[in-house]
Amino acid sequence: MKSYFTEDDEKLKWKTNSTKKLLSTVVFDVTEQENQASNGLTGKYIITECPDWVITIPVHNEKIIMVKQWRHGEKALSVEFPGGVIDKNELPEKAAARELSEETGFKAGKLTKLGSVNPNPALFSNHVHVFLAEDLIQTGEQDLDSDEFINCMELSLEEVLEGMGTPEFPHAIMGTALAFYLKYLKLGKN
């Protein structure tokens, strides 16, 4: 892949002088970093330290398996691709397979990594890894966490495209995952 950064861009980089934890929660930590620009300017920046996540786009009989669940921040139901937090020391592809199985009851015969992004580089330290799941085999029932309540449905790609960005599909990272999938379809399968 082509690099868009040049030697002249090196002066845009900042270095971290110190980090102080402000808040620790079950899901993330909030830190304050004192960072310094190449010209000596310093500033304090708030960073959310989160574990990495995975999103899986499961394709079954030319349909995409979507999950429906409550999102506390939005205070509404949300239609999404299956996914979740990567456990400590877990590889992203293992987490993708695990989350797919737990949330949908399907196992992927083939997993293809489509890409990774930072959900918001100004505020977050983590990355989201997106996988395509194909050759699905129904293994049984969902195996949800005690506070997870999920219904599944199958939609066509056109239905997913139409839904993205509506109140029923409010999750921005799902739009990014969909863009990775569309790029994969357009540029050819590996």
Side-chain angles (χ1 to χ4, degrees), residues 26-28 68-80 145-150 167 170-171:
V26 174
V27 181
F28 61 84
K68 298 180 279 186
Q69 60 188 317
W70 181 258
R71 289 304 191 183
H72 296 280
E74 183 74 6
K75 293 183 177 61
L77 291 169
S78 179
V79 178
E80 305 173 6
D145 295 338
S146 63
D147 65 345
E148 222 173 12
F149 306 96
I150 292 176
H171 198 313

Side-chain angles (χ1 to χ4, degrees), residues 104-121:
T104 69
F106 280 91
K107 181 179 177 180
K110 179 181 176 187
L111 273 177
T112 305
K113 185 162 186 182
L114 300 179
S116 297
V117 292
N118 181 304
N120 183 342

Side-chain angles (χ1 to χ4, degrees), residues 57-68 78-81 152-164 166 168-169 178 181:
I57 301 175
V59 178
H60 183 249
N61 297 327
E62 297 184 26
K63 298 271 189 170
I64 299 171
I65 299 173
M66 304 294 289
V67 298
K68 298 180 279 186
S78 179
V79 178
E80 305 173 6
F81 301 114
C152 298
M153 65 179 175
E154 293 186 12
L155 297 176
S156 68
L157 176 57
E158 288 73 27
E159 289 171 309
V160 175
L161 282 165
E162 287 173 11
M164 206 55 65
T166 67
E168 290 184 334
F169 292 70
L178 181 60
Y181 181 55

Side-chain angles (χ1 to χ4, degrees), residues 40-60:
L41 175 72
T42 61
K44 292 185 177 180
Y45 298 88
I46 303 300
I47 306 297
T48 304
E49 307 278 349
C50 303
D52 282 4
W53 313 324
V54 291
I55 295 173
T56 305
I57 301 175
V59 178
H60 183 249

Side-chain angles (χ1 to χ4, degrees), residues 5-22:
F5 299 118
T6 66
E7 190 176 308
D8 190 47
D9 295 327
E10 289 297 310
K11 66 184 175 210
L12 302 175
K13 292 181 178 180
W14 292 59
K15 71 176 186 171
T16 300
N17 292 332
S18 64
T19 301
K20 179 171 109 178
K21 189 180 292 187
L22 301 176

Side-chain angles (χ1 to χ4, degrees), residues 126-140:
N126 68 326
H127 290 86
V128 180
H129 307 277
V130 180
F131 290 85
L132 172 63
E134 298 174 290
D135 303 331
L136 300 182
I137 302 162
Q138 183 134 30
T139 59

